[in-house]
Amino acid sequence: MNHLRLRVDGRTFRDPLNREIILRGINVAGDAKYPKTPDLRSHNLQEFFEEDVSFVGRPFSLEDADIHFQRLRKWGYNTIRYIFTWEAIEHAGPRIYDEHWIDFTIGILRIAKQYNFYIFMDPHQDVWSRLSGGSGAPSWTLYAAGLNPKSFKDTQAALVHNTWDNPADFPKMLWCTNYTRLACQTMFTLFWAGRDFAPKAIIDGVNIQDYLQSHFIAACEYLAQRIQNASDLEGEVVIGWESINEPNKGLIGTQDISSIPSEQHLQLGTSPTAFQGMLIGSGWPCKVKTWSFGKFGPYQSGTEVIDPKGEQAWLSTEYDDSQYGWHRDPGWKLGECLWGQHGVWDSSERKPTLLQKDYFSRNPQTGETLDYERFTNTYFLNHYRAYKDALRNVCGTTIMFCQPPVMELPPTLKGTVDDDPNMVHAAHFYDGLTLLTKHWNRLYNLDIVGLLRGKYLAPAFAIKFGEKSIRKILRRQLKFLRDESLQNMGDHPLLFSEIGIPYDMDDKHAYKSGDYRSQVKAMDANHFALEGSKANGFALWAYVAENDHEWGDQWNGEDLSIYSPNDLESPIPTSSHSTRSDSTVCSKDHLINVKEEKASLCKASTPNCTSSNLSQTTLWPQQSYRAVEAFLRPTPIYTNGQLESHAFDLKKCTFTMRLIANQVAPETPSEIYLPDFHFPMGNTSVEVSGGKWEICHQEFHTVKLQYLRWWHGEGTVDIEIRRTKCKHTSREYATLQKLHKTRCMMM
């Protein structure tokens, strides 16, 4: 087993030839969030509370896996963030693992291995569970915590797409607000800190915190053991494991539960305080503020009375715990709010009374005031250590992808015992204004990271005007997060394991017109930011095999998939020949008779090609047009030395790269993924500061990709690759738009 196929070396990834590796990745797949059987896409109303579910067939069938992996390889991706949920493993009940799904997953991983992907496993969650409006944990975890998911709708303990009266009217991005509603707040508080804040919550003799965490970790450990036992996956295709996706602190650190915390930047629809959520969850009516999302973010739009008419979000006293075989301690009463039982508020009188508004503000053991930074360095880190130890117990050399809370300060690990040399910082970033409004605003945007870090005296100063400034501020935010990672976590690679754009912008204008210019600009701006961040890779969100124009990614109205069968197939230039800086044809694996070139600045262009062999424009089978020109871009994959900078100018169709080269073996090149969509044979020029180069194709199973190999000397070296003619003429674009519009009219 080759555990050195990819390794962590300080702040970089390295291959067996000691070349720096950039992970060009994609999340596979968004539809792994919900079961395959029954069909529980989030807009489906039937069978939502069905507990006999199966995720076999997610992210796609074994029969179709080759089609999807071929497509992703053709788009130049070398890395997959493999999405799975805790529910997929343990949906039937505590310690009952779905062996059929695990066997299926191993089968999918084996097919992915043929295409030479690097894969890291992601235990995905959003707002805790499908039953609380997202994905992740099994339904039984909510019952174990004493909650009744069937009452979430009337109590607004969670706003769930599947139970919305008309799923087509579900407000965009409303699901995010579930993080600040009763169900999700309670579950995460119990998961991280039940021992401290809910000591009465004892189940099977242990606190609910230990019960939930131990089952989650054991389920992931079991999956890891099965993958390890497969003998041909761990270390060869599965390079690592990420910690729980987008951890949220719940109520921990809330200074006053009777008001909205200052750090709660997203408010949309009804916005109860945590205390109001507890009251409504116990059957009391409350008048709450409502919010809408405007040009510059959320604004208060009015008020609304939420009246659950006596219904409670908590399980009734008639609930039978024997269904799952656990034993609840008699001191934990069903039919009552768990937080009321711990003295947070008193419902014994006619008018409920808040007793401890600051109950969650301090660590009850130490008295320390809690905020997100302290949460991350205590509760989150304690869990991460246990998760890491369990996985390393199974596969000792696996890379740990540590994902702290999104957009918050990362944990202070540098120079501590947690400064693990085989760890990666996995961060997330989205252009929030574009994501929430589903519109690419060329006039202004916000420096969200700067605002969160207190860089500005007032939010107005965080506004940046003009598309050029918007692109720059996106890049600066990612670069800031990279520098912050080095300062806090130490010398580790940083990978943005989620970043992406909505495709259904402007009320799905592109789907009606075929005009994807806004999506192209947004996607190009995000990649421009990634290229300037000095991160070690990314995993774009997302690939969804079942995406369509009506329901998008089939989950909560999101539509971020770079692929949709509903989109027009795109003309992709392909070729099967090689062009080099000399007259010798390239072989697949090694150099043949490469001529020496001068070390001084030199320039060489590919020779003219006839239409009968090179530079032919053909359709890639089953490849859907979806702003492909913005994400199909050249990337340095293997770099002999220290990568200083790289960038792709989409308008000029020019790629530049600078690196500080080490003393290298003369037969070992740096390699750049060079998509022939932008750089077809016969229409590409290469300028290098020295050395020799070739453009050739590498084969990954059934997929051929165009690469530029560059043999260079030591020191600072530069390369520029550009298309010698216009990348895509306006006439070509207009033709694509016309074809798409015609197809839409025929559907």
Side-chain angles (χ1 to χ4, degrees), residues 648-710:
F648 176 57
D649 188 322
L650 180 59
K651 290 183 178 179
K652 297 179 180 178
C653 203
T654 301
F655 173 79
T656 55
M657 182 176 80
R658 169 170 290 183
L659 62 97
I660 301 175
N662 302 324
Q663 183 177 1
V664 295
E667 70 276 6
T668 307
S670 293
E671 298 186 29
I672 300 167
Y673 165 62
L674 195 67
D676 40 16
F677 178 86
H678 294 294
F679 299 101
M681 295 291 190
N683 199 7
T684 299
S685 73
V686 181
E687 185 174 327
V688 296
S689 60
K692 54 210 174 194
W693 57 269
E694 67 176 6
I695 298 176
C696 64
H697 286 78
Q698 294 188 33
E699 187 169 339
F700 300 93
H701 194 40
T702 58
V703 178
K704 287 185 179 180
L705 294 182
Q706 182 172 271
Y707 275 74
L708 185 142
R709 291 177 172 178
W710 179 23

Side-chain angles (χ1 to χ4, degrees), residues 189 192-199 209 251-253 339 342 356 358-370 378-379:
T189 305
W192 303 114
R195 289 198 302 269
D196 285 343
F197 294 108
Q209 171 186 337
L251 290 165
I252 300 168
W339 305 120
H342 284 88
Q356 299 184 68
D358 60 348
Y359 181 77
F360 302 96
S361 66
R362 291 180 176 82
N363 185 318
Q365 307 300 323
T366 65
E368 180 184 32
T369 299
L370 295 170
T378 54
Y379 295 108

Side-chain angles (χ1 to χ4, degrees), residues 16 102 290 295 330 343 397 400 422 498 512 558 591 601 634 653:
I102 295 174
T290 60
K295 293 182 179 180
T397 60
M400 295 304 302
N422 205 24
E498 280 191 31
K512 306 165 190 174
E558 285 200 347
L591 174 68
L601 187 66
C653 203

Side-chain angles (χ1 to χ4, degrees), residues 483-494:
D483 293 340
E484 191 175 67
S485 172
L486 293 171
Q487 180 180 349
N488 285 269
M489 296 186 72
D491 283 347
H492 304 281
L494 172 69

